[in-house]
Amino acid sequence: MSSDSRARLKPWTSASAMNVLDIQFMLEILPKMLFAALVTLEISVLAVVFSIALGILLTTWKLLGGKVSGALIQAFVEFTRGVPQLVQIAIIYFALPRFGVVLNEFWTGVVALTFIGAGYAIEIIRGAVESLDRGQRESAIALGLSELQTLFLVLYPQAARRILPPLTNELANVIKASALLSVISVNELTKVANDIIFEYFVVIEVLIELAGLYIVIIGGLIWLSRALEKRTRA
């Protein structure tokens, strides 16, 4: 934000006791908030795509693998569901360099949210597949399909309609968890909003803008999910 902008914004603090929204201030900070929203959107889209892909991969491994692999994947699921998201982000942020994996804050955030989302995706996908009639699998095997082909050609497509609603809810929670990435200095939406609040001591206007941008991002995910549901029903 330019020095001229800061000069215009500073006088607002003297009137902060007034219970009136300062629309001019909200317009002044909007470009900065939109840029931060773009960073949040980029992280969220990457995390959603990667968590679904990882969830499908690990679910397949769990369903087709042995007891040891199944136990390991279940331990991963219990960890992601049982440990607070903030703790998981901190562990990944400090643990990756120990294993020689050095990422910037952006990609560390993507990795953290991917693991969090995958933990929930595994259980949702597994539950949807196991809720299908066992005759589907038996018929596919009788026709000569392998277990892997049966999953990807028969079971997963049929389970998609059951997977989408709960998966959308969990992925929306993952996107909201991106707000926690501010603790590892990712310049996402919540961190930038906090920086503005601490710089100008303006709270309500910033929080309203922050909430509105999150609603737009989450609303986009929900709209996409509903569109996919309609297509699967058709």
Side-chain angles (χ1 to χ4, degrees):
M1 191 174 289
S2 67
S3 59
D4 292 339
S5 296
R6 287 195 292 271
R8 290 197 299 272
L9 292 173
K10 283 293 184 182
W12 190 94
T13 59
S14 62
S16 60
M18 298 175 61
N19 295 322
V20 178
L21 291 179
D22 192 323
I23 304 301
Q24 182 181 355
F25 178 83
M26 297 177 72
L27 292 175
E28 289 280 357
I29 66 172
L30 184 59
K32 199 170 185 178
M33 294 286 284
L34 287 174
F35 183 80
L38 180 61
V39 174
T40 296
L41 183 61
E42 291 174 347
I43 293 175
S44 299
V45 169
L46 289 171
V48 165
V49 172
F50 292 157
S51 61
I52 292 174
L54 184 59
I56 293 173
L57 176 65
L58 293 179
T59 302
T60 303
W61 190 12
K62 183 176 182 180
L63 293 174
L64 302 183
K67 292 183 178 180
V68 175
S69 60
L72 290 174
I73 294 171
Q74 188 60 36
F76 169 74
V77 170
E78 296 303 326
F79 176 83
T80 55
R81 297 173 68 184
V83 176
Q85 295 169 339
L86 183 60
V87 176
Q88 295 182 56
I89 292 170
I91 289 174
I92 291 173
Y93 180 71
F94 290 107
L96 287 180
R98 296 285 187 94
F99 294 95
V101 181
V102 180
L103 301 173
N104 60 24
E105 289 81 3
F106 179 93
W107 284 106
T108 300
V110 172
V111 171
L113 294 183
T114 295
F115 275 87
I116 291 171
Y120 290 94
I122 290 168
E123 283 299 282
I124 292 171
I125 298 170
R126 179 200 58 80
V129 170
E130 292 184 348
S131 69
L132 296 173
D133 189 337
R134 290 182 60 86
Q136 299 285 341
R137 175 183 172 275
E138 294 170 357
S139 298
I141 296 297
L143 290 173
L145 297 181
S146 67
E147 293 279 2
L148 187 61
Q149 289 174 322
T150 299
L151 272 178
F152 281 92
L153 299 179
V154 179
L155 300 182
Y156 282 159
Q158 293 187 62
R161 286 179 293 179
R162 306 184 186 190
I163 290 171
L164 277 173
L167 186 61
T168 300
N169 291 335
E170 294 303 333
L171 292 178
N173 290 330
V174 170
I175 294 174
K176 286 184 282 187
S178 66
L180 301 174
L181 298 179
S182 58
V183 300
I184 60 173
S185 301
V186 178
N187 284 318
E188 47 73 50
L189 195 51
T190 298
K191 182 180 183 300
V192 170
N194 285 332
D195 290 344
I196 293 173
I197 290 173
F198 289 132
E199 184 176 358
Y200 300 106
F201 302 100
V202 180
V203 178
I204 297 300
E205 280 78 359
V206 178
L207 292 180
I208 289 175
E209 208 160 281
L210 176 66
L213 289 172
Y214 272 120
I215 288 173
V216 170
I217 294 172
I218 301 296
L221 174 65
I222 294 173
W223 175 84
L224 178 61
S225 172
R226 288 175 179 171
L228 290 174
E229 281 186 63
K230 290 181 180 178
R231 291 197 64 177
T232 55
R233 287 173 183 169

